[in-house]
């Protein structure tokens, strides 16, 4: 779901920025980046749960994890 929303919002952001709607495009771009962050967090947490060990290689930085904490 995050992937679909990311692509849709990214497409809409590019389209609005191309047409000159800077505020709408910027907001949609921020939303797309936030959903991309959630997607990366979910991938990292799934890898850690699957492997049973969480080292610093498979985890996102701590400041990113604090933003997307459950």
């Amino acid at each position: 779901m995050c992937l679909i929303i990311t692509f849709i919002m990214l497409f809409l952001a590019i389209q609005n920025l191309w047409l000159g709607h800077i505020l709408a495009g910027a907001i949609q771009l921020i939303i797309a980046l936030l959903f991309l962050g959630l997607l990366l967090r979910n991938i990292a947490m799934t890898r850690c749960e699957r492997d049973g060990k969480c080292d610093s290689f498979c985890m996102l930085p701590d400041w990113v994890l604090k933003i997307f904490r459950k």
Side-chain angles (χ1 to χ4, degrees):
M1 190 68 171
C2 285
L3 184 63
I4 295 168
I5 294 174
T6 301
F7 282 141
I8 290 171
M9 294 306 281
L10 187 62
F11 173 76
L12 291 174
I14 292 170
Q15 183 179 15
N16 278 324
L17 289 172
W18 184 267
L19 293 175
H21 304 286
I22 303 298
L23 183 61
I27 291 172
Q28 290 168 342
L29 185 62
I30 290 170
I31 293 171
L33 292 176
L34 288 175
F35 273 101
L36 182 65
L38 285 173
L39 181 66
L40 292 176
R41 180 191 178 276
N42 287 340
I43 291 171
M45 295 305 289
T46 303
R47 284 184 180 171
C48 287
E49 289 174 1
R50 183 184 60 209
D51 295 340
K53 59 179 180 175
C54 293
D55 54 356
S56 61
F57 180 72
C58 71
M59 293 290 293
L60 294 172
D62 289 335
W63 62 272
V64 175
L65 292 176
K66 288 179 185 176
I67 294 172
F68 298 111
R69 189 176 304 167
K70 288 186 178 180

